[in-house]
Amino acid sequence: MSAEKLVKSRQRVADHGEVFTPRWLVEDMLNLVQSETERIDSRFLEPACGSGNFLVPILERKLVAVERRHGASVFERRHYALYALMCVYGIELLEDNARECRENLSGTFARFLKSDAPDEWIRAADAVLAANIVQGDALKMTTATGAPIVFPEWGYLGRGRFQRRDFAYDNLTQRSSFQGTLFQGFDEHDIFTPERTYPAMTVAEIAA
């Protein structure tokens, strides 16, 4: 078995400090918050996500929980798998890494669904990842074009319908520090308001 590649080039290390975390260390770190990684609706944001070294194992753990809890129903299995994907977020400075991260997460999701899932499920997953994995600067809180970073908060309403609300990243950091975890429910809706709220959507509508 070939050794895990932790750098793409010396130049990228020099220019961006880019060094990837080895899988064994990722797993050890995730084990420290194991109960959260195995909760389908827990939300994780990686502010320097690279090609998904942390986000892919997080999604894999969530999908194990989906199989365990909803594997008996194809309908629920698929919908909760998409919801698990909706709960991982990333910011990445370099365009190729952001693209690879989306591809790696999409591939993990597709392998879980297997070949019997309609194509619209992969299109829906890709639409989610286009919004959840952002090329930008986490410190400046801006995208590659200089616009403020905005993330969608996804919720599963049941019966095949999802809710999306968009929040500015700087709003979310205030919200997280306010009560401890990103997107955690609370009563201060007048303080932390979404940039946009969408009508409830089906998988087909997300994929469109």
Side-chain angles (χ1 to χ4, degrees):
M1 184 168 57
S2 60
E4 187 175 5
K5 188 175 182 180
L6 301 181
V7 299
K8 288 189 173 180
S9 73
R10 292 182 179 179
Q11 191 63 50
R12 288 168 71 107
V13 175
D15 291 345
H16 306 290
E18 181 187 70
V19 179
F20 298 110
T21 309
R23 180 67 181 242
W24 68 265
L25 183 55
V26 170
E27 295 292 352
D28 281 354
M29 294 172 71
L30 294 181
N31 286 340
L32 297 175
V33 288
Q34 182 171 341
S35 61
E36 288 299 303
T37 65
E38 295 173 351
R39 189 160 63 85
I40 298 168
D41 63 348
S42 64
R43 292 177 169 89
F44 284 81
L45 169 63
E46 171 54 73
C49 65
S51 56
N53 291 44
F54 277 91
L55 295 183
V56 168
I58 288 169
L59 178 59
E60 290 172 348
R61 291 179 179 221
K62 286 175 172 289
L63 294 177
V64 169
V66 170
E67 185 65 40
R68 183 170 62 248
R69 297 170 193 172
H70 304 288
S73 166
V74 172
F75 181 89
E76 297 293 354
R77 183 179 185 271
R78 289 176 178 175
H79 282 86
Y80 275 100
L82 184 60
Y83 185 38
L85 182 69
M86 289 171 167
C87 292
V88 294
Y89 300 83
I91 302 171
E92 171 53 39
L93 188 64
L94 301 178
E95 181 182 7
D96 61 335
N97 284 344
R99 182 178 62 254
E100 288 176 20
C101 184
R102 296 186 196 103
E103 291 171 352
N104 290 336
L105 289 166
S106 180
T108 300
F109 176 77
R111 286 189 294 275
F112 179 78
L113 259 58
K114 302 175 184 177
S115 59
D116 60 345
D119 289 344
E120 69 181 16
W121 284 88
I122 304 304
R123 295 199 306 274
D126 289 343
V128 167
L129 291 169
N132 281 28
I133 308 300
V134 174
Q135 184 195 354
D137 189 320
L139 295 178
K140 294 179 180 178
M141 300 187 182
T142 57
T143 67
T145 62
I149 292 175
V150 174
F151 279 122
E153 175 194 47
W154 301 93
Y156 183 46
L157 306 177
R159 298 184 179 181
R161 301 183 71 80
F162 296 92
Q163 180 71 64
R164 173 178 173 175
R165 300 189 303 164
D166 288 353
F167 288 88
Y169 176 46
D170 61 350
N171 187 305
L172 291 175
T173 59
Q174 295 174 46
R175 181 171 165 180
S176 177
S177 63
F178 183 81
Q179 91 279 328
T181 58
L182 191 70
F183 294 133
Q184 183 177 321
F186 59 97
D187 296 328
E188 291 77 11
H189 297 296
D190 291 336
I191 301 175
F192 302 106
T193 55
E195 302 274 311
R196 179 179 178 184
T197 299
Y198 296 74
M201 295 179 283
T202 64
V203 170
E205 288 168 334
I206 295 171

